Amino acid sequence: MDSRPARIPKSSGRGGARAVAAGTLWKTHTSRFSLALVAITLPTSAVISGVFGAWLFWPAFSVTTFVISMVITGFIVGLITLLSLIVQVDAPGSTFLKLPFQHIECFEHGATLRDASGELLGDQSSGTLRVVRTNLNHGRGLVGAVALEHAGGTTWVVPYQLLGAWSGMRALAHTAQAHRIEDPLFDALLKLAE
């Protein structure tokens, strides 16, 4: 897990109104992910290859055997490391190798969307944020989602347990990632959706 806490967004300015549900959307920090993959794969492969080369040709050492085993071991260890990192990063609620992206707060009569630094992107009560039910193409089928439309673009959110498509709605071709959020936050957004 990332030991650094996410930056707490500024107050919503709703005169003490309490949020019904809130959550932070995260994005994977690709350079940290790549660095973790290399930092785990290279030393592990070098140690395994060195031990294998020394064991096979003791007391001499064959550089050719070391290089060949380094390539083979690097490929296998790299795949295993990649799979384990993907599982750790994609686990529900995981902040491992991620950066805060946006913060959503749902109130009884509206919602707000802020960026990672706490700057307001949209507020439903002032008309700068629109919360809409939509269908998204996901794999081979459609899933129900909520679109948060603001001046900076659109953010799509889906619950961890995907929903079936909303009947009577066309699917939108989204160009960005659909973020997974907790069920209480998704339910609160559905209550506010048009």
Side-chain angles (χ1 to χ4, degrees):
M1 290 293 190
D2 191 359
S3 60
R4 295 177 307 143
R7 185 172 176 169
I8 299 173
K10 297 176 187 172
S11 171
S12 64
R14 290 188 172 260
R18 187 165 180 181
V20 175
T24 301
L25 304 179
W26 299 84
K27 64 179 178 179
T28 303
H29 193 291
T30 52
S31 60
R32 280 190 197 166
F33 186 90
S34 301
L35 184 62
L37 180 63
V38 170
I40 294 169
T41 303
L42 280 182
T44 306
S45 300
V47 167
I48 292 172
S49 299
V51 168
F52 180 73
W55 174 72
L56 203 57
F57 292 102
W58 188 257
F61 185 78
S62 172
V63 175
T64 307
T65 303
F66 175 76
V67 170
I68 291 171
S69 65
M70 181 73 176
V71 170
I72 294 170
T73 310
F75 179 73
I76 294 168
V77 170
L79 283 178
I80 293 169
T81 304
L82 179 64
L83 290 174
S84 66
L85 285 175
I86 289 172
V87 167
Q88 289 176 353
V89 168
D90 283 345
S94 170
T95 58
F96 182 66
L97 300 175
K98 292 184 180 179
L99 295 172
F101 177 57
Q102 292 176 341
H103 186 76
I104 304 169
E105 286 182 305
C106 289
F107 301 94
E108 223 174 282
H109 301 292
T112 61
L113 182 66
R114 297 180 180 277
D115 67 7
S117 65
E119 294 298 318
L120 186 67
L121 293 174
D123 188 350
Q124 193 175 19
S125 63
S126 67
T128 58
L129 177 68
R130 192 167 160 232
V131 182
V132 183
R133 290 177 192 236
T134 186
N135 290 328
L136 294 178
N137 291 321
H138 182 76
R140 293 184 178 184
L142 300 177
V143 295
V146 170
L148 304 169
E149 299 174 352
H150 53 91
T154 303
T155 301
W156 292 276
V157 293
V158 294
Y160 282 110
Q161 182 65 40
L162 296 175
L163 299 175
W166 310 115
S167 61
M169 297 180 113
R170 291 186 345 192
L172 295 177
H174 62 288
T175 56
Q177 176 185 1
H179 297 275
R180 293 187 183 240
I181 58 174
E182 300 292 333
D183 289 340
L185 179 57
F186 190 79
D187 293 339
L189 286 171
L190 279 180
K191 289 177 185 174
L192 299 171
E194 299 175 6

